[in-house]
């Protein structure tokens, strides 16, 4: 029997998004809806599975965890790049790692949802109306204000186009961004400090790496306008979370819209959960029906192809 585990199916939809019954006889699929964070507990749970299917970076597969899974032969991740999987260690252990396609637009769409929620106080007004109140805040428009992008890659450039449609002044900075490349997107490249000083809305669109971890810290937040808001749909550790909480508590910035966090799921008692000037979503950037309609069928395809001896979309270290 080949045992297959599907992890972190928070919404309980994995089995409905692909025809898992089409797997050959002798395959047993088990779905886990809860999240287990401790690597030892993950190893205990998965010790008898030959195939594990994971959703994005919800459960990391580092070298230490992989070494505790001697039966593991195939690891399928949604997406073709997953910083939480040690592909080199998997390869050394003889584990094939395969991936799927994803969506190029859903995260940028959510970014704008957070921006509008912050600038027009949508969550606060929704809560107020449900208690019988009417018009309790004064919002800020977008036209004529400055959108600052920390990163102008695929997602950052999509967010830039929408900002331009809102008639915003769009500026950007990243370490390797040139003025010519920025101009090609109709964006002005500025210096790193100027990005923080000038932005009315600062949106983060950079990969997490040793170079970018903690890139936005107390110093950078201190450069921002008291009326400015920060939006992070990239990765939590790009921003110093403790410094951000301090800035929000002391109102040195007006607010933050966050889809990503240092620890996910965000702990119940985390201070961000109690801040009225923080709009929070639980890492929903890629969580749409159309995205899952690609990811889960292609996850199944990876399993079927591997079982047939012809793995597809293999990720190498």
């Amino acid at each position: 029997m080949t045992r297959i585990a599907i992890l972190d199916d928070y919404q309980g939809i994995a089995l409905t998004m692909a025809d898992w019954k089409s797997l050959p006889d002798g395959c047993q699929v088990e779905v886990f809806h809860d999240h287990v964070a401790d690597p030892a507990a993950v190893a205990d749970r998965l010790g008898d599975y030959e195939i594990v299917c994971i959703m994005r970076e919800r459960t990391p597969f580092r070298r230490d965890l992989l070494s505790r899974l001697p039966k593991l032969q195939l690891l399928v991740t949604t997406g073709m790049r997953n910083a939480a999987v040690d592909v080199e260690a998997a390869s050394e252990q003889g584990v094939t790692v395969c991936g799927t396609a994803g969506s190029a637009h859903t995260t940028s769409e959510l970014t704008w949802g957070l921006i509008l929620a912050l600038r027009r106080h949508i969550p606060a007004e929704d809560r107020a109306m449900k208690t019988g109140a009417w018009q309790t805040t004064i919002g800020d428009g977008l036209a004529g204000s400055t959108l600052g992008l920390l990163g102008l890659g695929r997602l950052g450039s999509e967010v830039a186009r929408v900002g331009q449609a809102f008639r915003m002044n769009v500026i950007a900075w990243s370490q390797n961004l040139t003025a010519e490349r920025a101009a090609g997107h109709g964006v002005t490249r500025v210096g790193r400090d100027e990005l923080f000083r000038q932005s009315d809305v600062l949106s983060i669109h950079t990969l997490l790496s040793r170079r970018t971890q903690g890139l936005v810290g107390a110093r950078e937040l201190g450069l921002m306008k008291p009326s400015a808001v920060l939006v992070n749909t990239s990765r939590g550790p790009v921003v110093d979370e403790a410094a951000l909480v301090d800035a929000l508590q002391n109102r040195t910035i007006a607010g933050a819209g966050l889809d990503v966090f240092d620890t996910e799921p965000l702990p119940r008692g985390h201070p961000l959960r109690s801040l009225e000037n923080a709009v929070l979503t639980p890492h929903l950037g890629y969580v749409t029906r159309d995205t899952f309609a690609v990811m889960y069928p292609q996850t199944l395809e990876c399993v079927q192809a591997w079982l047939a001896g012809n793995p597809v979309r293999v990720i190498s270290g």
Side-chain angles (χ1 to χ4, degrees):
M1 177 182 296
T2 300
R3 299 191 66 187
I4 303 165
I6 301 175
L7 302 190
D8 297 313
D9 178 19
Y10 296 155
Q11 294 91 351
I13 49 85
L15 295 182
T16 69
M17 300 298 292
D19 183 14
W20 296 93
K21 293 181 180 179
S22 66
L23 286 169
D25 293 341
C27 291
Q28 178 181 322
V29 178
E30 187 166 359
V31 181
F32 296 95
H33 305 295
D34 61 326
H35 175 74
V36 176
D38 179 59
V42 176
D44 287 343
R45 171 173 283 188
L46 300 179
D48 290 329
Y49 291 88
E50 291 83 13
I51 299 173
V52 174
C53 305
I54 63 175
M55 176 57 69
R56 299 302 298 137
E57 298 168 5
R58 292 176 182 176
T59 298
F61 277 74
R62 311 293 189 197
R63 183 178 294 271
D64 60 340
L65 174 58
L66 289 164
S67 68
R68 300 182 188 187
L69 301 174
K71 292 187 178 181
L72 182 64
Q73 299 177 53
L74 174 66
L75 181 64
V76 183
T77 175
T78 51
M80 288 301 296
R81 179 169 54 193
N82 189 333
V85 174
D86 189 333
V87 178
E88 181 179 352
S91 179
E92 292 173 4
Q93 193 171 308
V95 177
T96 302
V97 181
C98 297
T100 75
S103 173
H105 60 270
T106 55
T107 299
S108 58
E109 291 173 351
L110 182 69
T111 297
W112 280 104
L114 291 171
I115 291 171
L116 290 167
L118 286 165
R119 295 283 284 188
R120 300 300 297 270
H121 307 295
I122 294 171
E125 290 291 4
D126 173 73
R127 291 192 298 269
M129 282 197 69
K130 288 172 181 175
T131 63
W134 186 261
Q135 286 194 8
T136 63
T137 65
I138 299 176
D140 294 292
L142 295 176
S145 65
T146 297
L147 170 64
L149 300 172
L150 182 57
L152 193 63
R154 177 175 56 86
L155 293 177
S157 60
E158 286 189 0
V159 172
R161 286 195 292 274
V162 178
Q164 291 156 354
F166 277 121
R167 292 176 290 147
M168 299 180 77
N169 169 43
V170 185
I171 61 176
W173 175 86
S174 68
Q175 189 170 36
N176 297 319
L177 179 65
T178 64
E180 292 75 18
R181 184 170 178 277
H185 292 286
V187 175
T188 301
R189 186 196 185 279
V190 296
R192 174 174 168 173
D193 285 0
E194 285 306 304
L195 178 75
F196 292 96
R197 289 193 182 102
Q198 294 183 27
S199 296
D200 296 300
V201 176
L202 177 69
S203 191
I204 299 171
H205 302 284
T206 185
L207 295 174
L208 177 63
S209 66
R210 292 179 182 176
R211 188 176 65 186
T212 62
Q213 185 165 351
L215 184 62
V216 181
R219 177 184 175 277
E220 290 73 26
L221 293 167
L223 296 173
M224 295 177 67
K225 304 173 186 179
S227 58
V229 298
L230 177 147
V231 174
N232 188 6
T233 56
S234 176
R235 289 295 181 269
V238 174
V239 180
D240 181 329
E241 199 165 79
L244 178 60
V245 168
D246 184 71
L248 292 169
Q249 289 174 334
N250 292 299
R251 304 277 176 168
T252 58
I253 64 171
L258 307 173
D259 188 46
V260 289
F261 308 90
D262 285 359
T263 301
E264 297 181 5
L266 187 68
R268 288 182 178 273
H270 196 284
L272 283 171
R273 288 185 180 267
S274 62
L275 293 174
E276 292 184 357
N277 56 345
V279 177
L280 311 179
T281 51
H283 205 150
L284 295 179
Y286 62 94
V287 182
T288 64
R289 193 172 302 278
D290 54 339
T291 300
F292 280 8
V294 172
M295 287 180 166
Y296 277 119
Q298 288 197 4
T299 294
L300 173 60
E301 181 186 25
C302 287
V303 173
Q304 292 171 322
W306 182 85
L307 289 170
N310 298 297
V312 295
R313 293 185 297 276
V314 176
I315 301 173
S316 58

